Amino acid sequence: GRNPGGSKLDPKILPQRVNVEGLTEAQLTSAKLCRAAKLYYTDGFRAAQEYLDGEFGEGFYEIQPELSGKYHITVKTSEGFEIASRGIESGNSMDAIDLYNLTNNPRNAESYKEIMDTYESLEGNVDTLHGYSRGGKVMLHIGSETGTDVIAHSPAIGSNELALSGENSVEIVRPDSDFASSLLGLGHPENWNVHVYQSEPGTGSI
């Protein structure tokens, strides 16, 4: 597989403490990339890169600072690039405004503009888009628009997201107790595959 450090599964990196056997290797890797995006924002490049090196081996995922920002990181792999976007930080007014804009007019949201600028600078050489919560929400829009595959963890789902269409592959990964993505019970676009796992609520997040 592409995950040489994958035997060391730390449940703290998942949206909630889970039975990790219920998740695929790709979904676990995606959650760790979202965790690194959060660390990049809160603790800086070195902390985020050391986390990825510890999980996957040194140099397996290389963060590209010139292609990363407040809302996302870009990592280089042997096969190309992947982009991961973090969730909101509690009490962060910039994040609250961004989520409001994403909900009402996604293309006006700062996170959308930042990540789309990176995507375009890579000329579409992006294998997969990863996102947690608000990050999952923005990646659903960018993936739909660009035709890029998405793995979204507990994305904040509203009517705009349920109206998306596309030929890209979309994996939604959510615990059974997750409220932000509970609208998925009403149905979802045909190209979405929803993976629900059992959780123990309140034991940490990405």
Side-chain angles (χ1 to χ4, degrees):
R2 293 180 54 196
N3 183 359
S7 59
K8 185 173 63 176
L9 298 178
D10 179 356
K12 289 196 297 297
I13 59 90
L14 296 170
Q16 296 182 322
R17 195 171 300 277
V18 301
N19 173 10
V20 291
E21 286 78 16
L23 297 180
T24 68
E25 183 177 296
Q27 290 165 350
L28 288 166
T29 295
S30 175
K32 292 176 182 180
L33 290 173
C34 293
R35 171 70 173 167
K38 173 187 170 74
L39 285 172
Y40 187 87
Y41 178 70
T42 59
D43 294 22
F45 165 78
R46 183 181 297 273
Q49 187 62 61
E50 287 178 353
Y51 169 74
L52 289 177
D53 289 345
E55 292 294 327
F56 301 103
E58 191 168 345
F60 194 77
Y61 286 110
E62 296 180 350
I63 298 173
Q64 309 294 296
E66 71 282 4
L67 296 169
S68 303
K70 292 181 291 187
Y71 299 100
H72 78 291
I73 59 170
T74 300
V75 295
K76 186 177 182 181
T77 73
S78 60
E79 300 175 12
F81 296 92
E82 303 192 25
I83 302 175
S85 183
R86 63 180 179 86
I88 64 173
E89 290 294 304
S90 179
N92 184 317
S93 59
M94 177 189 78
D95 280 348
I97 292 168
D98 186 69
L99 180 59
Y100 175 84
N101 288 333
L102 264 180
T103 301
N104 291 282
N105 190 348
R107 291 186 180 194
N108 280 347
E110 193 176 359
S111 60
Y112 177 94
K113 294 175 184 177
E114 178 186 284
I115 297 166
M116 188 59 90
D117 282 349
T118 293
Y119 186 95
E120 291 174 349
S121 73
L122 289 168
E123 299 179 342
N125 184 24
V126 178
D127 296 324
T128 308
L129 302 168
H130 309 270
Y132 170 65
S133 191
R134 182 272 311 277
K137 187 182 187 78
V138 69
M139 291 308 199
L140 290 173
H141 287 275
I142 292 174
S144 175
E145 184 163 332
T146 63
T148 307
D149 293 347
V150 175
I151 302 178
H153 303 264
S154 301
I157 297 288
S159 56
N160 282 339
E161 288 71 47
L162 293 179
L164 290 172
S165 62
E167 300 299 316
N168 60 323
S169 166
V170 176
E171 283 188 62
I172 308 288
V173 186
R174 61 179 294 266
D176 51 12
S177 59
D178 180 54
F179 177 75
S181 55
S182 58
L183 271 181
L184 288 170
L186 301 177
H188 54 80
E190 286 185 21
N191 60 320
W192 291 14
N193 175 34
V194 181
H195 182 109
V196 181
Y197 57 86
Q198 290 189 327
S199 60
E200 298 173 23
T203 48
S205 68
I206 290 178

